[in-house]
Amino acid sequence: MALRTARTHELGGHEPRAVQKALALLEAVARLGSGATAKEIAHATSTPPATAYRLLNILVADGFLVRIDDLSGFALGRRTRELAGAAPSTEVDYSQVIDTVRGRTRFGVYLATYAGDRIRLLDRDPDHELTGETALTTHVHASAIGKLLLANRADGNSLADLRKFTSHTIVDLADLAIELSRIRATDVATERDEIKMGRSAVAVPVRDDTGGVSGCIAVIGRTGRLDPEDPELLDLLRSSASQITLCG
Amino acid sequence: MSALEHAITASFAAREPERPALSPLRALGRRQLSGVEVFAQSVATTAPAASMVILPLTMLTHETMLAGVLTILAATIVVSLIAFCVSQFTRRFSSSGGLYSFAVKGSGPRGALTVGAAMLCKYCASGAMTLYFGGQAVRTVLHELGVPTGGILGIAAVHGVIAAAMLGCLLRGVRFAATAILVVEVCSLLFITALLVFPSSGPVEIEPSGAPNGLMIVALGAMFSLAGFESATFFAPEAKRPLVNVTRTVLLTPIICGALFTFAAWAVWSGRGGVLVDAYQHGTSTGIDAWLVVALNLGLSFSWLASAMASSNAASRLLYTMGVENVVTRRVARVHRVFRTPHVALWIVVGLVVGLGSLLAIAAGIPIFDNFRFLDDVRLLARAAVIVGYAVASVAAVAFLRRIGELTTPVVCAGVLACASGTAILANLLFTVGVQQNITLLVMLGLLGASGLAWRAVLHHRRPRSLDAVGVFDSAESHDVLPGAVTYGENSRGAVALVKSPASESR
């Protein structure tokens, strides 16, 4: 990640390590989650407590961190965005694109990223409840989103345990290989009752600047109502996905 | 890809919550005051220019020159310790309730309500006293210029004009008020410093008081001259970069004011302050030029009036905070739509300060009243109140840091030392009052001590919900946080707030 250090020089040029420490503290807060206490953060970064408290207070004063309501813990502040090398102006506001898709279909629309070869949902549909999100992100062979990831990262992924969720789950490695090559050919991943009975889904890839697949837009709905091969829906998803660039 | 990068990437797609978290103090004009303006508020409250004349005078009357200078240094260190404890709060959150809000976070509503009552007393009493002194100095100036200001009518007219000017400045907006305070304070400091370096024409003639505990009086005088350094904490929500600027002010004010007092003490000790002392004590009667007396009194009145203004301003924010919490009527929490100042609270406070100040002035003009006792009572009340506030805040700092798990050894040491010295001074004060058998003051101090308990009991019966709301501060808003990186929940007031995420709770 490219870092602009112009802001952090305020920590004191005579203490260059303070900048590193401050970034480590931010990283620790991101990892520990909202409400991590100063002690936990100091422990996670192996910083002496007094130093950690001092730096945390500076980061709060400058808006890189905020204190939660009972003052005992920290959360990331909006200014952390300024640390990101990718300037926000070049990033399309995903939520607008996704909202347009949501306006034109009655199924749940989701945006997922494949950063770090893991599935993370960036934007969940607020009007549709998604059950079994953990299964979706861990058992990649059983969903459209997961299979699209596998199809594009075939080399590094060794799949030993293909858990059978339903009778439609692909549990045979050979069958899965055929499915993945089909996905690579069509650039669309579909799913019918594979992770959960009564659930169907379709996922189209979202690419990064270099053209590599870095995420997907997925539509999830009830089997029978949602047709994963509906050409109109696929056109909508493909045109929307082309408007988004996700950094890998 | 790091967790931080993930969070930042995800934030562009995350949606804002439907009910965003908002600061309860957002009605005030936030993020307006610069560092210098915040600093002016604190320095003006301590009225350094006036103390630079009064303190050396105290040293002269008690014949404690070298010891006096050292005592002032020691008093500065003790007050700096208290400031260090207070800065533990100002580093971590900003609130318009000052020490009152800090006490809530450390010692709960009971202690906080005592501190709240004490600080209201302190600011109103010192506001009234400084207004009285300021009014007197203004009248001296007018007298020298040949304008008659004697009698109750003269007092009422002078105080009326001062009150109108003060209220106008304070209502006009926090920046306007701070700039006005800053200008007035700088003028007075320049006047007094210039007079101090003026070489003396003859030896200073002053009658020694012969009091046995002269050093003690100088020490207390210095300590209470530094009291008020915390008044910037009331303006944190209205300051830019509050956690940095207010902390800096709280730590620097006692040091800078202490240095000014030491300078003044040194100047008088080395025989430079003769002109100043003579002009202050005897006016034109010792053959000093009239313009010098006028200049000195102008400087003094500026310093005192700036202090009265700053005190009223601070008290208004405290009252406003209590109104927001519904601890007092919500009406005082009304904020002017254009100027963003709590106008109802300001009217009440300025009314109280000017009323009490005028009462002091009128009592001083009528010989039947034992007026010196009256003024001394108000001064002692203010001193006791501020010491109660400081002692509780010092202990609260330790308790607060322990609760949030950020306690360090220096804070514990400072807290214990500050609280011990506070208790010692309070004991000394009570002893003095007890020896004097001043029943009025004893009753007043008793009422002050019991106020927290009584207030809490009343609230418990009348408005139990307001007790949960005690301790509002300028909490982080949804706009301040990285979207998607925080968990929202409900706080004790039932408002949307940032809470610990369930995942980090389980650790």
Side-chain angles (χ1 to χ4, degrees):
Chain A
M1 174 186 248
L3 288 171
R4 272 192 228 135
T5 47
R7 298 276 176 186
T8 36
H9 78 263
E10 287 172 12
L11 292 170
H14 58 289
E15 270 184 294
R17 291 207 44 162
V19 180
Q20 287 176 339
K21 274 284 176 221
L23 290 172
L25 293 176
L26 286 176
E27 171 69 22
V29 174
R31 198 149 30 85
L32 293 169
S34 162
T37 66
K39 232 179 215 150
E40 289 168 353
I41 297 164
H43 183 72
T45 52
S46 344
T47 315
T51 313
Y53 304 162
R54 193 168 48 82
L55 287 174
L56 285 170
N57 283 333
I58 294 173
L59 289 169
V60 171
D62 285 337
F64 290 109
L65 289 178
V66 293
R67 273 184 191 263
I68 62 169
D69 200 65
D70 69 355
L71 298 168
S72 67
F74 299 85
L76 292 175
R78 198 173 283 250
R79 270 195 76 187
T80 43
R81 274 183 181 174
E82 292 175 18
L83 294 170
S89 54
T90 61
E91 302 246 6
V92 182
D93 193 359
Y94 313 137
S95 45
Q96 269 181 9
V97 179
I98 300 293
D99 278 348
T100 317
V101 182
R102 279 182 191 138
R104 293 174 60 184
T105 169
R106 55 206 165 94
F107 307 106
V109 179
Y110 300 83
L111 178 69
T113 166
Y114 293 151
D117 287 354
R118 282 177 305 176
I119 298 170
R120 274 186 61 246
L121 292 184
L122 284 182
D123 196 344
R124 297 171 179 80
D125 199 317
D127 301 327
H128 295 80
E129 201 190 352
L130 183 66
T131 53
E133 196 184 312
T134 327
L136 182 78
T137 50
T138 44
H139 299 282
V140 284
H141 66 285
S143 66
I145 299 176
K147 285 190 289 186
L148 189 62
L149 169 66
L150 280 182
N152 292 284
R153 306 275 200 286
D155 49 324
N157 283 296
S158 57
L159 290 167
D161 167 39
L162 297 185
R163 191 193 285 187
K164 194 177 172 84
F165 286 93
T166 70
S167 54
H168 296 272
T169 314
I170 303 171
V171 288
D172 186 75
L173 275 175
D175 288 347
L176 187 62
I178 296 167
E179 172 79 357
L180 295 184
S181 77
R182 198 182 62 77
I183 291 170
R184 275 191 291 272
T186 57
D187 236 4
V188 175
T190 57
E191 157 200 342
R192 275 199 191 85
D193 301 332
E194 285 167 46
I195 196 161
K196 197 177 167 220
M197 284 307 285
R199 182 195 281 182
S200 289
V202 54
V204 299
V206 170
R207 297 175 189 281
D208 59 17
D209 321 330
T210 58
V213 175
S214 58
C216 72
I217 300 181
V219 173
I220 303 178
R222 290 263 300 273
T223 308
R225 290 214 188 142
L226 170 68
D227 176 11
E229 267 135 40
D230 177 5
E232 222 173 285
L233 180 64
L234 284 177
D235 280 348
L236 171 67
L237 290 181
R238 283 200 176 109
S239 69
S240 305
S242 67
Q243 293 171 37
I244 299 178
T245 309
L246 271 182
C247 296
Chain B
M1 196 190 210
S2 69
L4 180 59
E5 204 177 343
H6 263 307
I8 294 170
T9 318
S11 78
F12 290 107
R15 323 182 116 240
E16 300 288 344
E18 271 171 34
R19 279 178 65 208
L22 296 172
S23 162
L25 305 177
R26 70 193 329 263
L28 291 170
R30 294 167 85 213
R31 313 273 178 268
Q32 293 190 354
L33 293 180
S34 67
V36 178
E37 287 160 340
V38 174
F39 189 61
Q41 162 70 29
S42 252
V43 172
T45 312
T46 60
S51 301
M52 280 166 76
V53 179
I54 310 285
L55 262 186
L57 209 67
T58 318
M59 283 163 55
L60 281 174
T61 48
H62 294 102
E63 297 178 300
T64 52
M65 290 321 294
L66 176 61
V69 175
L70 293 177
T71 309
I72 290 176
L73 215 65
T76 308
I77 293 172
V78 171
V79 176
S80 296
L81 275 180
I82 300 170
F84 179 67
C85 289
V86 172
S87 77
Q88 298 307 315
F89 292 106
T90 60
R91 265 181 232 282
R92 288 171 171 86
F93 67 101
S94 59
S95 168
S96 57
L99 292 190
Y100 162 71
S101 300
F102 300 159
V104 181
K105 300 288 173 201
S107 51
R110 208 166 308 179
L113 287 171
T114 312
V115 174
M119 291 326 274
L120 273 180
C121 264
K122 189 259 158 180
Y123 280 108
C124 287
S126 32
M129 278 193 305
T130 44
L131 186 87
Y132 162 69
F133 287 128
Q136 230 177 17
V138 168
R139 274 159 55 217
T140 312
V141 171
L142 289 177
H143 179 76
E144 292 294 335
L145 298 176
V147 184
T149 52
I152 293 178
L153 221 65
I155 293 171
V158 169
H159 282 207
V161 171
I162 293 173
M166 251 169 63
L167 195 61
C169 285
L170 296 180
L171 283 177
R172 176 59 187 75
V174 70
R175 269 205 86 175
F176 188 88
T179 315
I181 290 172
L182 180 67
V183 169
V184 172
E185 191 57 45
V186 167
C187 286
S188 73
L189 271 177
L190 287 179
F191 265 137
I192 302 295
T193 314
L195 287 176
L196 269 175
V197 288
F198 220 86
S200 180
S201 47
V204 183
E205 282 172 31
I206 215 149
E207 290 169 30
S209 71
N213 52 351
L215 216 54
M216 191 69 203
I217 294 173
V218 174
L220 288 180
M223 276 208 60
F224 290 108
S225 304
L226 291 169
F229 69 86
E230 79 289 351
S231 89
T233 58
F234 294 93
F235 296 88
E238 292 160 87
K240 290 173 191 159
R241 298 185 79 216
L243 303 186
V244 174
N245 283 331
V246 174
T247 306
R248 212 172 271 167
T249 299
V250 163
L251 288 175
L252 280 182
T253 306
I255 294 172
I256 289 183
C257 288
L260 282 174
F261 298 165
T262 315
F263 160 73
W266 164 82
V268 172
W269 182 39
S270 61
R272 278 166 202 278
V275 178
L276 189 94
V277 172
D278 276 347
Y280 178 70
Q281 286 251 304
H282 312 293
T284 44
S285 60
T286 47
I288 291 173
D289 291 340
W291 70 265
L292 229 146
V293 177
V294 170
L296 171 72
N297 276 296
L298 263 182
L300 286 177
S301 61
F302 276 167
S303 183
W304 274 317
L305 292 181
S307 176
M309 223 160 115
S311 288
S312 311
N313 212 6
S316 77
R317 297 307 192 269
L318 176 55
L319 207 58
Y320 163 81
T321 313
M322 289 176 163
V324 170
E325 292 168 348
N326 204 13
V327 166
V328 295
T329 167
R330 266 196 211 283
R331 261 173 235 140
V332 297
R334 283 193 195 147
V335 171
H336 194 281
R337 226 175 279 165
V338 180
F339 302 137
R340 297 266 159 222
T341 46
H343 61 289
V344 181
L346 271 169
W347 271 99
I348 295 173
V349 169
V350 173
L352 263 174
V353 165
V354 173
L356 194 58
S358 308
L359 216 64
L360 284 173
I362 291 168
I366 302 169
I368 324 159
F369 282 104
D370 194 4
N371 59 61
F372 264 93
R373 273 289 279 281
F374 190 33
L375 183 65
D376 278 348
D377 282 358
V378 175
R379 179 183 291 141
L380 280 174
L381 180 70
R383 290 184 167 188
V386 78
I387 281 298
V388 168
Y390 287 165
V392 176
S394 307
V395 178
V398 177
F400 167 66
L401 291 188
R402 224 182 118 224
R403 178 171 72 77
I404 65 169
E406 293 176 32
L407 193 58
T408 50
T409 327
V411 181
V412 179
C413 296
V416 169
L417 274 174
C419 183
S421 16
T423 317
I425 294 166
L426 195 65
N428 172 281
L429 214 139
L430 284 177
F431 177 75
T432 320
V433 173
V435 165
Q436 287 173 348
Q437 295 184 329
N438 186 340
I439 305 297
T440 345
L441 194 61
L442 279 178
V443 171
M444 266 154 68
L445 291 180
L447 281 178
L448 189 67
S451 61
L453 287 174
W455 200 344
R456 195 191 162 277
V458 171
L459 287 175
H460 189 71
H461 282 290
R462 293 263 180 88
R463 292 178 240 175
R465 275 191 64 85
S466 69
L467 280 178
D468 299 329
V470 166
V472 298
F473 67 101
D474 200 11
S475 49
E477 301 198 334
S478 290
H479 182 74
D480 304 323
V481 303
L482 193 67
V486 288
T487 315
Y488 290 99
E490 235 179 47
N491 63 11
S492 57
R493 288 185 292 285
V496 178
L498 277 55
V499 296
K500 221 171 167 59
S501 74
S504 86
E505 194 115 52
S506 60
R507 267 195 306 278

